Amino acid sequence: MHNPKPSQGAAALSLFCLHCLGGSAREWQGVERELGAGISLVGIDLPGFGSAADVPGYSVAAMAEHVAAQVRAAAPGRWMLAGHSMGAKVAAVVARQAVAGAAGLEGLCGLVLLAGSPPGPEPMSEERRADMTGWLDGDAAHRATQAREFVAANAVTLTPEARAAAEVDVLRANPAAWRAWLQSGSREDWAERVGVLPLPALILAGAEDGDLGPEAQRRLMAPHVLTAEHHDLPHARHLLPIEAASTVARLITRFAALPPGETQPPRIPPHYRALLESGRTSTALRDALLARVAPEADTRRAWLPAGAYAVLEAALDRVIPQSPHARIDLAARIERSLAEDAGDGWRFADLPADAEAMHQALLSLDALGRLLHQDGFTGLTDAGRDTLLHRVADGQAAAAAPGLFDGSQMALWFQDLRAMAVKHYVGHPATLARMGYSGVASGGDGPRKSGFTRFGIGEREAWEPVALAGEAP
């Protein structure tokens, strides 16, 4: 399914959409009709379903390769990937390939995950899994009954036409693909391989969904994306693209509207700001933390030459990848601390003072790019930058030119750079909130400190923050 609106011309964004178990690309038709201008929706039938019912390859890896091949064939510029339920797990694997620099998958700029099956094993009771496995076996009457019950159980309200189409899609599924997902695919554990994707994500859940509802999305899906915008859709269960097409289209249109390159600073969640402003946090600590989110903290001093500063930005983007939807300007903060000589007071004996070391190392890194990859560091692909930085970290990269660092010095500098980046990133209150860090509330200003009373393993104070994992600060 690929039907761009005639008024769009060449779409600014391609949205590749993957369906749920027993679904097909047709489930996205209602969403497509209401998407904003500039978004071209491309529905993909996964192997064993819809028009691909006869296509083999039911493992998560095989389905991901099927999707990647279709993205490559379309050769999109700027694109997003949407995955519904089963499709969300496949989308996460494809996204990992894209951010790792797989050829033909360049330009991925976001994920839309609806009632997503997580990268790890999908939560489902073994009794229910065993029952569902045989639903598409048996005669036609049995299969039709199971299809009706499946669709009815996964939606609050559907029009008769939508209900009939959803039931037909279930019956179109290859029984072997249906069984393979329930018995194997949904159990596959890709959590470590997917890791944390440096992409913004829109995560939608039906408020009345069971296994893959709001709680499961926050606990199992959100930790795998750098920043996430969450929406729980009321009066909806699992078939979100069908039963809530208008809402889904509106949320996707808004999510996709952030222009490429436009950045936004991270926000402190209301519950964490309330903790900072409570009597449990001292005034001095509160002021210090809130100063870290002031606009001037992300304003560069123009102390480094523009070329060197661009190299610093590019290197930091590989050390701690961030989303433009919630970005801490690490380069500006590091440059400011160096300009103000606000370091930690020590340095490696083989390196000059911090400020001089930074300038010299950035010149060396750019020279290394030209020496080893025939281009300056900022001109390299992400994969090229990663390769070079790995060599730097191992002490195997030296520019071999007067006035530039040798391999050992570059390794020491890169160790310092990573420490500075982590210090500024983790020390930001929005990051502390995502971590659920409660150490900010170790006492207020008065003589009687309101600290901790529960110290057992696994025990928490009622007021302590909970880690937000991948949820947007």
Side-chain angles (χ1 to χ4, degrees):
M1 180 177 67
H2 185 180
N3 299 303
K5 300 174 180 62
S7 60
Q8 288 179 200
L13 175 73
S14 294
L15 178 68
F16 293 87
C17 295
L18 313 182
H19 57 81
C20 65
L21 174 67
S24 78
R26 298 194 309 179
E27 71 175 44
W28 293 94
Q29 289 177 342
V31 174
E32 182 181 34
R33 284 193 292 269
E34 302 197 40
L35 280 175
I39 303 176
S40 177
L41 191 150
V42 183
I44 297 177
D45 284 327
L46 296 172
F49 300 92
S51 63
D54 294 330
V55 175
Y58 307 143
S59 69
V60 173
M63 289 192 285
E65 185 50 43
H66 175 84
V67 172
Q70 296 205 38
V71 173
R72 290 187 179 101
R78 179 171 172 258
W79 60 287
M80 287 187 178
L81 190 55
H84 175 209
S85 191
M86 175 180 74
K89 186 166 190 164
V90 178
V93 175
V94 176
R96 171 47 61 193
Q97 296 173 3
V99 300
L105 300 182
E106 302 85 359
L108 178 62
C109 59
L111 290 170
V112 179
L113 306 169
L114 296 83
S117 179
E122 181 177 321
M124 182 186 296
S125 72
E126 289 306 310
E127 180 181 2
R128 183 159 172 261
R129 189 188 302 273
D131 179 51
M132 288 181 63
T133 297
W135 279 7
L136 295 190
D137 296 331
D139 59 27
H142 172 79
R143 297 177 70 225
T145 298
Q146 299 295 357
R148 282 195 300 272
E149 293 181 358
F150 177 70
V151 172
N154 282 285
V156 175
T157 303
L158 292 176
T159 65
E161 295 77 14
R163 184 180 302 278
E167 292 172 4
V168 168
D169 271 344
V170 174
L171 295 173
R172 293 167 76 198
N174 189 316
W178 176 277
R179 289 192 297 270
W181 174 257
L182 291 166
Q183 295 174 344
S184 179
S186 64
R187 286 185 164 124
E188 289 187 32
D189 191 350
W190 287 78
E192 289 191 12
R193 285 171 285 181
V194 169
V196 179
L197 298 165
L199 294 166
L202 173 65
I203 297 181
L204 307 181
E208 299 184 34
D209 199 347
D211 294 331
L212 295 174
E215 190 275 335
Q217 296 308 304
R218 285 172 168 78
R219 180 169 55 88
L220 300 175
M221 184 60 81
H224 290 284
V225 292
L226 192 63
T227 59
E229 177 184 331
H230 287 265
H231 292 275
D232 302 336
L233 279 56
H235 313 299
R237 290 196 185 115
H238 191 67
L239 300 182
L240 301 181
I242 304 174
E243 60 178 328
S246 296
T247 301
V248 169
R250 174 176 56 80
L251 292 172
I252 290 175
T253 300
R254 190 178 70 180
F255 177 69
L258 184 67
E262 181 177 322
T263 62
Q264 297 177 345
R267 296 176 290 107
I268 307 175
H271 75 278
Y272 204 77
R273 182 175 286 275
L275 179 61
L276 292 179
E277 295 175 348
S278 73
R280 294 184 176 278
T281 304
S282 70
T283 300
L285 178 57
R286 178 187 308 120
D287 291 347
L289 290 171
L290 292 180
R292 296 175 186 173
V293 300
E296 57 268 21
D298 285 337
T299 302
R300 66 164 303 207
R301 287 282 302 271
W303 170 76
L304 283 168
Y309 187 81
V311 174
L312 176 61
E313 286 185 305
L316 290 169
D317 279 345
R318 306 314 302 157
V319 172
I320 302 180
Q322 298 186 76
S323 160
H325 286 247
R327 182 180 179 85
I328 300 169
D329 195 333
L330 299 175
R333 290 166 187 253
I334 289 174
E335 183 195 48
R336 179 176 290 273
S337 69
L338 292 171
E340 296 174 355
D341 195 22
D344 51 19
W346 73 277
R347 64 179 174 86
F348 289 110
D350 290 341
L351 295 182
D354 288 348
E356 182 183 348
M358 179 64 72
H359 191 192
Q360 198 164 338
L362 294 173
L363 293 176
S364 301
L365 186 60
D366 201 43
L368 282 166
R370 299 183 189 283
L371 176 67
L372 300 174
H373 298 279
Q374 291 74 53
D375 204 344
F377 187 78
T378 57
L380 303 180
T381 64
D382 286 346
R385 295 174 186 177
D386 288 346
T387 298
L388 180 52
L389 289 175
H390 279 297
R391 292 188 63 174
V392 168
D394 293 338
Q396 303 300 313
L404 300 181
F405 280 170
D406 62 26
S408 174
Q409 289 174 307
M410 286 298 289
L412 294 175
W413 164 77
F414 192 46
Q415 182 177 328
D416 257 354
L417 180 70
R418 285 176 288 174
M420 286 186 279
V422 170
K423 182 183 84 169
H424 286 286
Y425 183 76
V426 174
H428 194 289
T431 306
L432 296 176
R434 287 178 60 190
M435 295 166 55
Y437 179 68
S438 57
V440 298
S442 57
D445 296 318
R448 293 177 61 84
K449 308 296 184 186
S450 52
F452 293 80
T453 60
R454 301 172 66 88
F455 302 100
I457 296 176
E459 291 189 291
R460 301 181 61 83
E461 305 280 353
W463 52 265
E464 281 191 83
V466 176
L468 300 178
E471 188 165 344

